Amino acid sequence: MSASDKLIVFIAKGFGTGCVPKAPGTVGSIAGVGWVALLLLPGDRKLYLLATVIGIFASVWLCTRAEEILQQHDPGSVVIDEIIALPICFLPLVMRDGGLADPQTVFIQNWHWAPLAFGLFRLFDIWKPWPVFQVQALPKGWGVTLDDVLAGVYAAAILFFIP
């Protein structure tokens, strides 16, 4: 494996978080919470949304390449798809009142919402209700990534309706 292939696999494995022997998707999702916090730091709503969209396309590419390099379909250790989906499920928590919340507001002052967002994401990612399960059949990194994106959308939809 070339150095560039090793780097791609390392990133696709969530910078190593997907290498844990048990529940790599959950550990990758925890790294996704860190990604949310990092996106909140600049306080720029457009940057948050842009990075979320770019993350989706980067995940598709990384997951496609990781599948090719590892010669496996949707390897459990590849968790970049979980990481990039977390900003989606946090949208109702961070976009309230027409602005972008700061990390302290999201994770400390309103601390009870972050575990709910995380838990709902994991529920939908594991349960895979329609069409989350069905999109996994899409080719290459599209299926790997879009099931997590939809799980994030489901979680966000529920959080949106909670006052």
Side-chain angles (χ1 to χ4, degrees):
M1 188 180 321
S2 71
S4 64
D5 285 352
K6 287 180 183 179
L7 179 61
I8 289 166
V9 169
F10 178 70
I11 296 169
K13 289 184 175 186
F15 303 92
T17 60
C19 295
V20 298
K22 295 197 181 210
T26 299
V27 176
S29 297
I30 292 168
V33 173
W35 176 233
V36 170
L38 188 64
L39 292 179
L40 291 174
L41 285 175
D44 187 331
R45 183 180 188 151
K46 289 179 184 176
L47 178 64
Y48 185 97
L49 295 171
L50 181 63
T52 300
V53 171
I54 289 171
I56 293 168
F57 288 102
S59 174
V60 169
W61 185 82
L62 286 162
C63 291
T64 297
R65 287 293 296 130
E67 282 187 333
E68 293 167 355
I69 294 164
L70 299 171
Q71 298 179 351
Q72 296 176 21
H73 174 69
D74 198 0
S77 61
V78 171
V79 297
I80 194 69
D81 48 324
E82 275 87 6
I83 293 169
I84 62 89
L86 263 292
I88 296 166
C89 70
F90 273 77
L91 280 170
L93 306 180
V94 302
M95 297 287 180
R96 294 192 185 232
D97 302 322
L100 185 68
D102 59 70
Q104 180 175 339
T105 301
V106 174
F107 297 110
I108 298 173
Q109 292 174 355
N110 297 319
W111 64 269
H112 53 288
W113 293 112
L116 180 60
F118 181 87
L120 286 169
F121 172 73
R122 292 306 300 146
L123 172 71
F124 291 124
D125 188 33
I126 293 165
W127 175 31
K128 300 195 185 306
W130 183 90
V132 177
F133 178 78
Q134 287 74 9
V135 300
Q136 290 184 118
L138 291 172
K140 303 184 181 186
W142 289 105
V144 177
T145 299
L146 290 183
D147 74 312
D148 295 282
V149 168
L150 284 177
V153 168
Y154 277 10
I158 290 174
L159 290 168
F160 180 77
F161 290 106
I162 297 174

